[in-house]
Amino acid sequence: MDEIDVPESHPRYESLLTRHRIEHGVDLGITSRQGLIAQGRGEAYDYLLGERTTESADRAERAAAAHLLRADHPVLSVNGNAAALVPGELVDLADATGADLEVNLFNRTAERMERIADHLREHGAEAVKGLQADGRIPGLDHERAKVDADGIGDADVVLVPLEDGDRAEALAEMGKTELVIDLNPLSRSAQTATVPIVDNIIRAVPGITEHARDLQGASSDELDRIVDDFDRETALSAAEDAIRSGDL
Ligand code: PTJ
């Protein structure tokens, strides 16, 4: 699935690989066709960021790792784009932090839910939540309100990649700590997040895992310090500056 007919030395290799994975996700019935449009939007921001993890995004990834490690019940929310782009990487992050994986879709159908859960299992996930849908996020009238009561419903920290702003706001109102991966620092979800991670999901998820492994033996004081030192406003303006003044 990850094979594309382009050498790794090609300057656009990562972008072409990403497109290939999203396209394949649509073919497998995992990614919605709207996911193709979302990816195109994300790519434009990534291009302006220089297709790299900025220092500020790396700090956000470390803060996200610290949040996940000190959480009572961390959950990684998975949609059709995340499942197509980083299935194995999400399983690794769940392993490194003890987080649950939960499928949560904007364009929810029973078939897509099952296929994404199967896809995650094929990539090593032991348990996948989201199929019971016996909980609700108050104040949302679309399909993303449906959650597992013992999953996102019970979580204190939720990682939400490529989120829509409505649910991000609703989760924040429930008092949950939200870690958002979104290449657009001006999006409502990035603006609402406790930790906005302005980076491509294909770099951000392995980046958070690397920090989590590095912090595995850290004391709770050290994790608290990393969380307290992180400033979301500084992270958002650094990302916006990088986009506006990027030297391409
Ligand atoms: O699988 P579903 O049904 O849950 O639907 C998922 C999508 C992504 C289609 C749905 O949530 C959606 O339409 O999202 P939006 O409103 O288009 O927002 C997606 C956000 O993610 C945008 O701000 C993009 O800039 C950003 N984005 C897109 N691709 C990436 C990304 N951020 C990080 N990494 C990416 N690869």
Side-chain angles (χ1 to χ4, degrees):
M1 151 192 169
D2 295 347
E3 305 258 312
I4 54 169
D5 205 10
V6 180
E8 279 189 44
S9 57
H10 190 288
R12 314 259 341 130
Y13 176 79
E14 206 181 72
S15 157
L16 294 171
L17 176 66
T18 306
R19 285 185 186 188
H20 174 78
R21 287 190 185 171
I22 285 283
E23 215 182 344
H24 190 62
V26 174
D27 290 344
L28 291 176
I30 286 174
T31 309
S32 72
R33 282 182 297 166
Q34 286 187 19
L36 296 167
I37 299 166
Q39 172 61 30
R41 187 146 61 132
E43 258 187 36
Y45 288 107
D46 204 17
Y47 182 79
L48 294 171
L49 278 165
E51 293 173 338
R52 72 201 155 96
T53 301
T54 61
E55 267 177 45
S56 147
D58 183 59
R59 277 196 293 277
E61 285 160 24
R62 194 164 179 82
H67 270 290
L68 290 168
L69 287 172
R70 66 176 207 163
D72 288 330
H73 184 190
V75 176
L76 315 180
S77 181
V78 183
N79 66 15
N81 286 48
L85 291 176
V86 284
E89 292 85 345
L90 284 166
V91 174
D92 286 347
L93 178 57
D95 283 349
T97 57
D100 282 335
L101 289 162
E102 176 159 341
V103 185
N104 180 275
L105 300 180
F106 183 67
N107 300 296
R108 184 181 179 117
T109 65
E111 293 74 28
R112 281 186 70 217
M113 293 294 294
E114 291 288 350
R115 281 187 191 161
I116 292 173
D118 286 346
H119 190 64
L120 291 171
R121 286 189 205 104
E122 279 159 24
H123 283 82
E126 279 168 20
V128 180
K129 294 190 185 289
L131 301 168
Q132 288 189 342
D134 52 354
R136 289 290 176 277
I137 301 174
L140 276 189
D141 56 7
H142 55 73
E143 292 292 312
R144 269 198 149 156
K146 293 183 179 167
V147 293
D148 277 13
D150 66 350
I152 290 175
D154 173 65
D156 55 344
V157 176
V158 192
L159 176 79
V160 279
L162 283 63
E163 181 63 74
D164 70 286
D166 272 10
R167 192 174 75 130
E169 279 178 358
L171 285 171
E173 265 171 40
M174 287 175 86
K176 298 186 191 295
T177 296
E178 266 184 290
L179 319 170
V180 167
I181 300 173
D182 194 321
L183 278 159
N184 178 5
L186 301 174
S187 79
R188 216 150 33 106
S189 25
Q191 295 280 334
T192 314
T194 316
V195 179
I197 303 162
V198 183
D199 197 7
N200 196 318
I201 189 173
I202 65 170
R203 297 187 300 269
V205 172
I208 303 170
T209 305
E210 207 180 307
H211 283 298
R213 297 225 159 99
D214 184 48
L215 291 170
Q216 213 70 256
S219 65
S220 52
D221 281 354
E222 192 182 345
L223 296 180
D224 290 349
R225 190 184 49 74
I226 294 169
V227 163
D228 293 343
D229 284 354
F230 178 78
D231 184 66
R232 54 186 303 285
E233 300 302 333
T234 308
L236 288 169
S237 12
E240 197 181 329
D241 284 353
I243 287 171
R244 287 188 190 276
S245 60
D247 186 11
L248 297 173

